Amino acid sequence: MVSRKSERLVNLTIALLATGRWITKSEIYENIEGYSGEPDAKERMFERDKEELRNLGIDIEVGTFDPLFEDEVGYRIRPENYRIQISELTPQQLALISSATQSWRGAILGSKASAGLAKLKALGIESDVDGIPINPHQLRNSDSNLAKVIDALALRKTISFDYRAADNTNENRALEPYGVGTKNGFWYVAGNDLERRAVRLFRLDRVVSEVKEQGRGASYEIPESFSMHNQLQSQTRKYAAQLLVRKGKAHQLRKHADLKESEHEWDQLEYHYSDVKELVRELLWHRDDVQVMGPLEVRESLLESLHLIQVHHD
Amino acid sequence: MTRRANPVEKAARLLDLVPFIYTHQGISISDLAAEFSIETEELLSDLNALWMCGETRFDLIELEFESGFVYIRNAEALNVVRSLSVQEVTAILFGLDLLKESISAERADLLLDIEIIKTVIGTPLQRLVASEPMISGGVIIAIDEALRKRQKLQITYHSVADDVSSERVVHPIEKRIENGVEILLAFCESADAVRSFRLDRIHKSELVQVAASQTSRVQSGVIESVTIKVHSDIRRVFETLGILTPGRGNTYTVDIYNQSWLIREVLASGGAIEVVEPAALRAEIERQAALVASQYR
């Protein structure tokens, strides 16, 4: 059975690709093996096959080939739409792609990566592997939700999933995915959150259910201005705080700070930050090795946190 | 054993096999299977299926592979390389970004080539896919598992300062991001102290299997069990402290390796975490909070 369906899909592709004209359903049923049974059954089979080929990215056009018979539509695949548009890659470039696909070996996108590489190799370009002495890192992500998100993104289908919220409860979210990315070892999907009506970023390891596709493909447009890269950028450190940091301590803090003055056992730093809450967290982590002089808001927030800790542990 | 393809995936592969065999006439069955990352058996099933395909049932594709080498004829209509799918381009783009991380600046030619490839194959997709300084997924998975199971981890760590790689056995405490850099905080057996390890410098990580018994708990560096109460920010607390065993109400028990680390974590939580027991630790936290606060008087 498995094989017969695959054969039917291949034969349908050949028929639609080889013809220089529109071909009708009746011609398809007549010439392609596998379309059998009642007219309704054939119809359903064809509709499904057509949808599945489209999901593979094969563009099947529908049109009328004879103005006198408007009710009878024809189908075809234009070779120029089917064919890969890449013609020039150097052997070194192909070798780089080959190394890139190696990263996925055994991981969730492994078969996609090697299928892509096989297509490029089918162009007949030789690969110069010796030119690149690289041992690529391995991407051993086996989260099947990553593949599902990418599939949905490819077809522009809405997805839904349960997400672990900040209060550790699970919330169901519906999302039009716009992009996927990875940063610091975590994988993310960004998209239009249908309930909140805004672009939101989700960490895939916080998705606690299977990602499910909803509805039809091409159901939304990705805004021209969207950039996954920008989504993953941390907020800019646009504020400055004045800190006293004990000499030789709190090296992590010093990376985002300018040294202003140095006296006795303390360094005076100007520290750049984006969020008060996160800054207070960083400062508290460094205990009494750090004092914040300003802004007042940070100082107050820090003292409030300390007060709360003392109350809890009194 | 890889999962067998569904009929649609198989059809896609059959379509891709045709142009590949055309440009690689006479390729061996084993090489061809390797190119498509499938078992020989599955390739043979593909070739047998392809053999039954053609423009009409009287005009089939001619395939010869009994000799162990594959030749194809009469499949001109399909001798067209299909455009790359979104999934394929995505996989390649991620791989390229990762590759970039391991290329030294002296090979500017390779870095330029990567940018060219990204433009050639991925223009419409580039803005939808992004990877920032990436850490090997395998390393992450082992670390996450070690944190979850509270198991020891053998890591190969590259110390940039000394420019040496060393093997260490560590007891992971937590993963945290410090100024955008992901850090593994762990008790290191060779240093006999808590150390922080930048994840992007851990080249290998493997779980060290230990039996889940009381003795192994001691051996794996757990020094004590602490009862905590979570007041807010509960997801962050869970992700920071690793596995928490639920107790009564909103209390949890957590095994810790290092008191000083837990104290810092409780302070940094700004009141989200309260240590209920042991009393001595509770008192120490209060003392330290008072100490920090006293700087502002």
Side-chain angles (χ1 to χ4, degrees), chain A residues 19-20 93 120 131 135-136 151 158 240 264 266:
Chain A
T19 176
Q93 286 164 354
L120 296 170
N135 185 16
D151 284 349
T158 300
H264 309 296
W266 299 95

Short mmCIF file of all heavy atoms in Angstrom, two decimals, chain A residues 19-20 93 120 131 135-136 151 158 240 264 266:
data_model
loop_
_atom_site.label_atom_id
_atom_site.label_comp_id
_atom_site.label_asym_id
_atom_site.label_seq_id
_atom_site.Cartn_x
_atom_site.Cartn_y
_atom_site.Cartn_z
N THR A 19 3.49 17.17 -19.44
CA THR A 19 2.58 17.73 -20.42
C THR A 19 2.86 19.21 -20.63
O THR A 19 3.15 19.94 -19.70
CB THR A 19 1.12 17.55 -19.96
OG1 THR A 19 0.28 18.20 -20.91
CG2 THR A 19 0.89 18.16 -18.60
N GLY A 20 2.81 19.62 -21.85
CA GLY A 20 2.99 21.04 -22.11
C GLY A 20 1.64 21.75 -22.08
O GLY A 20 1.54 22.93 -22.35
N GLN A 93 31.66 25.92 -1.79
CA GLN A 93 30.37 26.25 -1.19
C GLN A 93 29.55 24.98 -0.93
O GLN A 93 28.90 24.85 0.10
CB GLN A 93 29.59 27.22 -2.10
CG GLN A 93 30.18 28.63 -2.05
CD GLN A 93 29.71 29.52 -3.18
OE1 GLN A 93 29.02 29.08 -4.09
NE2 GLN A 93 30.08 30.78 -3.14
N LEU A 120 21.11 19.46 -4.15
CA LEU A 120 22.20 20.31 -4.64
C LEU A 120 23.26 19.46 -5.35
O LEU A 120 23.80 19.85 -6.37
CB LEU A 120 22.81 21.12 -3.50
CG LEU A 120 21.85 22.12 -2.87
CD1 LEU A 120 22.43 22.71 -1.60
CD2 LEU A 120 21.51 23.24 -3.85
N GLY A 131 39.02 21.20 1.17
CA GLY A 131 39.30 22.63 1.34
C GLY A 131 38.84 23.20 2.67
O GLY A 131 39.19 24.31 3.01
N ASN A 135 35.37 20.55 11.75
CA ASN A 135 34.63 19.47 12.39
C ASN A 135 33.40 20.10 13.03
O ASN A 135 33.48 20.69 14.09
CB ASN A 135 35.54 18.82 13.45
CG ASN A 135 34.88 17.63 14.07
OD1 ASN A 135 33.90 17.11 13.54
ND2 ASN A 135 35.39 17.20 15.21
N PRO A 136 32.26 20.03 12.34
CA PRO A 136 31.13 20.81 12.84
C PRO A 136 30.60 20.30 14.18
O PRO A 136 30.69 19.12 14.48
CB PRO A 136 30.08 20.66 11.75
CG PRO A 136 30.43 19.41 11.03
CD PRO A 136 31.91 19.24 11.17
N ASP A 151 7.51 22.94 9.92
CA ASP A 151 6.52 22.53 8.91
C ASP A 151 5.39 23.54 8.83
O ASP A 151 4.95 23.93 7.75
CB ASP A 151 5.93 21.15 9.26
CG ASP A 151 6.90 20.02 8.95
OD1 ASP A 151 7.92 20.30 8.28
OD2 ASP A 151 6.65 18.88 9.36
N THR A 158 -1.56 27.94 11.30
CA THR A 158 -1.62 28.29 12.72
C THR A 158 -1.31 27.03 13.55
O THR A 158 -1.68 25.93 13.17
CB THR A 158 -3.04 28.80 13.05
OG1 THR A 158 -3.28 29.93 12.24
CG2 THR A 158 -3.17 29.17 14.50
N ALA A 240 21.62 53.46 32.67
CA ALA A 240 22.90 53.35 33.37
C ALA A 240 22.68 53.43 34.88
O ALA A 240 21.87 54.22 35.34
CB ALA A 240 23.84 54.45 32.90
N HIS A 264 40.42 52.93 47.41
CA HIS A 264 40.55 51.92 48.46
C HIS A 264 40.11 50.54 47.96
O HIS A 264 40.61 50.06 46.96
CB HIS A 264 39.79 52.34 49.72
CG HIS A 264 40.15 53.73 50.16
ND1 HIS A 264 41.42 54.04 50.57
CD2 HIS A 264 39.42 54.86 50.24
CE1 HIS A 264 41.47 55.34 50.87
NE2 HIS A 264 40.26 55.85 50.68
N TRP A 266 37.09 49.76 46.76
CA TRP A 266 35.94 49.81 45.84
C TRP A 266 36.26 50.43 44.49
O TRP A 266 37.04 51.36 44.40
CB TRP A 266 34.78 50.61 46.47
CG TRP A 266 34.27 50.02 47.74
CD1 TRP A 266 34.64 50.36 49.00
CD2 TRP A 266 33.30 48.98 47.87
NE1 TRP A 266 33.96 49.60 49.92
CE2 TRP A 266 33.12 48.74 49.25
CE3 TRP A 266 32.55 48.22 46.96
CZ2 TRP A 266 32.24 47.78 49.74
CZ3 TRP A 266 31.66 47.27 47.43
CH2 TRP A 266 31.52 47.05 48.82
#
